[in-house]
Amino acid sequence: MSTELLQLLWLASPALPVGAFSYSEGLEAAVDAGEVFDEASSARWLLNQLELVQARAELPLMAQAWQASAAGDAASLQRCNDWVLQTRESAELLAQSQQMGRSLLAWAQGQGIDCTRLQALQPPSWPVVFAVVGQQRGATLPGLLHAAAFAWAENLVMAAVRGVPLGQSAGQRLLARLVAAIAAAVADALAAPEPIAFSPGLGLLSARHETQYSRLFRS
């Protein structure tokens, strides 16, 4: 088993102490609005997010950050981080990116990873830190994007299991559908000339979640 694979499994692990389990990224608001209510609607919503948000914005941004880290290009890394912070469409999504970025940076420092370039980013954002840490630990770019997409999918499926709610078997069927779509999402991300942040429906749901009466999740 390769060292790269082990490092990617580690980065994608739900045991990573970054608090990902506490976020639903608008899914809880979609449940409250009646848009997500069973397995079929959960699958539709998550597959849309994979295609419209992960493949078009998050993963292409991570690709740029990985390349900047590999080239030692601090200015490009700063631009990547600025892009993330400027395109988060709600206070909750911005807070999530900042909190998870800081937590992953603290973890990386504890692991002895060279975080010099990341320390200059104030605040460091989750996609950028994830990309740089992966590159520093020897991950190839395709491997990094597959790991990031799987980590996102697993976390959101677990959010659906708790929030819709769904049974464990339904959750595994959802995860299987997302896994089957990840390769195409990564291919789209690698072919994208630049990240595109345009998900107004998600932004509206996330903004509504900030004042939602009853919540399990922080986003």
Side-chain angles (χ1 to χ4, degrees):
M1 185 175 292
S2 70
T3 300
E4 180 201 359
L5 177 57
L6 289 171
Q7 295 299 330
L8 287 173
L9 289 171
W10 197 352
L11 277 177
S13 171
L16 204 68
V18 296
F21 68 91
S22 63
Y23 298 103
S24 80
E25 300 185 17
L27 176 59
E28 187 173 37
V31 172
D32 187 66
E35 295 184 24
V36 175
F37 49 86
D38 60 7
E39 182 180 341
S41 58
S42 297
R44 181 172 60 251
W45 199 87
L46 291 173
L47 287 166
N48 281 341
Q49 297 311 312
L50 177 63
E51 177 185 356
L52 300 176
V53 179
Q54 297 298 311
R56 296 198 311 181
E58 299 297 291
L59 298 179
L61 185 281
M62 285 186 177
Q64 287 190 351
W66 183 97
Q67 291 162 346
S69 178
D73 188 342
S76 292
L77 208 58
Q78 182 68 62
R79 285 193 292 272
C80 288
N81 199 67
D82 290 345
W83 186 91
V84 174
L85 300 179
Q86 292 163 5
T87 56
R88 289 303 188 252
E89 295 176 307
S90 72
E92 285 187 348
L93 293 175
L94 178 61
Q96 175 184 348
S97 184
Q98 292 174 340
Q99 180 270 301
M100 290 179 61
R102 287 193 300 268
S103 296
L104 185 57
L105 175 56
W107 174 85
Q109 290 171 322
Q111 295 295 316
I113 299 171
D114 183 2
C115 299
T116 305
R117 298 189 190 98
L118 289 172
Q119 290 168 335
L121 307 177
Q122 294 299 325
S125 66
W126 164 256
V128 172
V129 178
F130 190 95
V132 172
V133 169
Q135 188 276 323
Q136 290 279 345
R137 299 198 76 142
T140 62
L141 179 52
L144 176 91
L145 298 189
H146 279 86
F150 180 80
W152 171 84
E154 186 175 36
N155 185 65
L156 267 291
V157 164
M158 293 311 300
V161 167
R162 286 180 284 163
V164 174
L166 301 172
Q168 293 294 328
S169 295
Q172 288 301 299
R173 289 192 294 269
L174 276 180
L175 188 58
R177 294 185 65 175
L178 288 167
V179 166
I182 281 176
V186 169
D188 288 345
L190 289 171
E194 61 182 5
I196 299 174
F198 184 72
S199 51
L202 178 61
L204 287 170
L205 283 171
S206 181
R208 291 173 186 168
H209 188 263
E210 294 171 7
T211 58
Q212 190 170 308
Y213 175 70
S214 178
R215 300 186 297 175
L216 292 173
F217 300 94
R218 297 172 67 183
S219 73

